[in-house]
């Protein structure tokens, strides 16, 4: 009985030591991977990485990770010389094959979401308009001021925000179009307002390679984007 008790105690101690070492190794890998992603994406904000699965060490030795969750803040999507800030980007990478030097890896598939706040969308418009929630999913309120015949007119319109295929360069565009513009019989006001309120912006220029935009909607927080992809690059040298 004493022998069995000793064996059990030793097993418990060794198990606890292995668990502690495994968690330390996972934490170290998460921090290193976060640094790689931060450098690769050139992020202004923070990066958090969570490696799932136990034990981590056996996954690392085989260069295969079951799942890696990444939370990014302050992602600058740059395309066509224009920058649009993604306030948050959360992605789950599945079946990650690590590089030989553990500097990063490629996920067989990934999915996630991103948020563009109205403040960032206002800045991205580059036309001097202000954007806010439009009161329903897929709607935004756009306020613009225009000058016609020496008078300044300010108009707020409800616009539909959609995701469309880019005609040039591939990828997706976030398109904002006013449903209607109150003209009140003033010649030229509708076209003048639409020049400011209607715009397209490409957002996939700063995403991890292989991750694409699928759909979007809007609420009080901003415009939410759904993302997915295959063979998505998680990080690299």
């Amino acid at each position: 009985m004493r022998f069995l008790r000793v064996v059990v105690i030793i097993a418990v101690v060794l198990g606890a030591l292995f668990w502690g070492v495994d968690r330390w190794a996972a934490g170290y890998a998460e921090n290193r991977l976060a640094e790689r992603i931060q450098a690769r994406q050139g992020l202004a904000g923070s990066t958090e990485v969570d490696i799932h699965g136990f034990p981590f060490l056996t996954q690392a030795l085989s260069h295969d990770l079951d799942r890696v969750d990444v939370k990014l803040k302050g992602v600058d999507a740059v395309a066509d010389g224009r920058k649009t800030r993604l306030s948050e980007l959360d992605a789950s990478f599945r079946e990650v094959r690590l590089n030989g030097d553990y500097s990063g890896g490629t996920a067989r598939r990934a999915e996630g979401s991103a948020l563009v706040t109205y403040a960032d969308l206002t800045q991205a418009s580059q036309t001097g308009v202000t954007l806010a929630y439009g009161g329903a999913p897929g709607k935004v309120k756009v306020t613009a001021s225009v000058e016609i015949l020496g008078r300044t007119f300010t108009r707020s319109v409800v616009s539909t925000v959609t995701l469309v295929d880019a005609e040039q360069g591939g990828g997706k565009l976030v398109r904002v179009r006013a449903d209607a513009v109150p003209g009140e019989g003033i010649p030229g006001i509708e076209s003048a307002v639409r020049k400011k309120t209607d715009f397209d912006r490409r957002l996939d220029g700063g995403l991890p390679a292989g991750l694409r935009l699928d759909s979007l909607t809007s609420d009080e927080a901003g415009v939410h984007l759904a993302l997915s992809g295959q063979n998505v690059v998680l990080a690299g040298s």
Side-chain angles (χ1 to χ4, degrees), residues 145-210:
S145 295
V146 297
E147 186 173 329
I148 298 177
L149 301 176
R151 294 180 58 189
T152 299
F153 298 88
T154 300
R155 292 290 183 270
S156 293
V157 299
V158 175
S159 299
T160 299
V161 55
T162 56
L163 196 64
V164 300
D165 293 326
E167 295 180 359
Q168 297 180 349
K172 298 285 187 178
L173 297 176
V174 173
R175 172 164 292 172
V176 179
R177 293 289 185 272
D179 296 345
V181 177
E184 301 173 1
I186 303 173
I189 190 170
E190 179 174 354
S191 61
V193 170
R194 283 192 178 276
K195 285 181 180 179
K196 289 192 171 185
T197 61
D198 295 358
F199 60 91
D200 296 339
R201 287 296 177 267
R202 189 188 301 271
L203 290 182
D204 51 5
L207 301 177

Side-chain angles (χ1 to χ4, degrees), residues 43-122:
L43 298 178
S46 62
T47 303
E48 297 179 13
V49 175
D50 186 10
I51 299 176
H52 292 258
F54 180 84
F56 163 75
L57 291 173
T58 57
Q59 295 184 77
L61 289 174
S62 66
H63 286 257
D64 289 309
L65 302 179
D66 294 335
R67 172 183 166 189
V68 179
D69 289 346
V70 178
K71 179 186 292 290
L72 309 178
K73 292 184 179 296
V75 181
D76 287 333
V78 182
D80 302 328
R82 294 171 174 173
K83 179 175 70 174
T84 302
R85 173 65 59 89
L86 305 180
S87 178
E88 298 177 4
L89 192 157
D90 296 335
S92 181
F93 299 84
R94 306 296 182 115
E95 300 178 66
V96 178
R97 180 65 180 174
L98 296 173
N99 300 339
D101 60 357
Y102 294 96
S103 63
T106 301
R108 177 173 293 183
R109 55 191 176 90
E111 58 185 16
S113 62
L115 170 66
V116 186
T117 65
Y118 293 115
D120 289 330
L121 198 56
T122 294

Side-chain angles (χ1 to χ4, degrees), residues 10-33:
I10 293 175
V12 171
V13 171
L14 291 178
L17 288 174
F18 176 77
W19 182 90
V21 171
D22 188 83
R23 293 302 87 197
W24 176 87
Y28 177 81
E30 289 169 350
N31 291 335
R32 292 291 294 166
L33 189 54

